Amino acid sequence: MDDYPALNLFWTMLWLFLWILWFFLMFKVLTDIFRSHDMGGWAKAAWTIFVIVLPYLGVLVYLIVRGQGMGHRDRAVAAQAEGQFQDYIRKAAGTEGQDTGPRHVDELARLADLKDSGAISEEEFRAAKQKLLA
């Protein structure tokens, strides 16, 4: 290690970083090829062969031709995942398909105001509350 200059170490680390970055980009492109719903099987096979046989040229051509669609597909997948997550939270919280929560609270507040103003008696308030919560 004594005869390996610092500049050579820098260049080695730079090339290693670029090599890892290249593999990340190549896997991202391959993932996008198989995730794309607007291509048929033959087109997916052709792009896959092109990316594997001529990796540098294949990935760069894919990014030029279909790069904008990659962003749209990524956003669609993220939005779908977010929607599924929100549905799961609603289901876990027990509020799925229920639009009655805020309405019950508003009705109970209105009944309490009517009782406080003397428009309805305590018995009428209890009966209306029981009917509302049933």
Side-chain angles (χ1 to χ4, degrees), residues 107-108 110-129:
E107 286 293 322
L108 286 173
R110 189 177 63 80
L111 286 172
D113 289 342
L114 288 173
K115 181 185 78 150
D116 291 341
S117 69
I120 60 173
S121 67
E122 181 68 31
E123 294 80 27
E124 291 172 325
F125 172 74
R126 283 191 200 138
K129 179 180 164 184

Side-chain angles (χ1 to χ4, degrees), residues 63-120:
L63 289 176
I64 291 168
V65 173
R66 297 183 50 86
Q68 189 175 17
M70 283 178 69
H72 293 302
R73 285 185 289 279
D74 283 343
R75 283 190 294 277
V77 167
Q80 181 183 15
E82 177 68 22
Q84 289 173 346
F85 179 68
Q86 293 296 329
D87 289 342
Y88 171 75
I89 290 175
R90 282 187 209 96
K91 183 178 178 185
T95 60
E96 184 178 19
Q98 294 180 359
D99 193 24
T100 57
R103 188 175 58 91
H104 283 334
V105 172
D106 293 340
E107 286 293 322
L108 286 173
R110 189 177 63 80
L111 286 172
D113 289 342
L114 288 173
K115 181 185 78 150
D116 291 341
S117 69
I120 60 173

Side-chain angles (χ1 to χ4, degrees), residues 1-15:
M1 195 67 189
D2 293 334
D3 60 342
Y4 201 69
L7 187 59
N8 285 351
L9 180 64
F10 169 76
W11 284 113
T12 303
M13 295 301 291
L14 179 69
W15 284 112

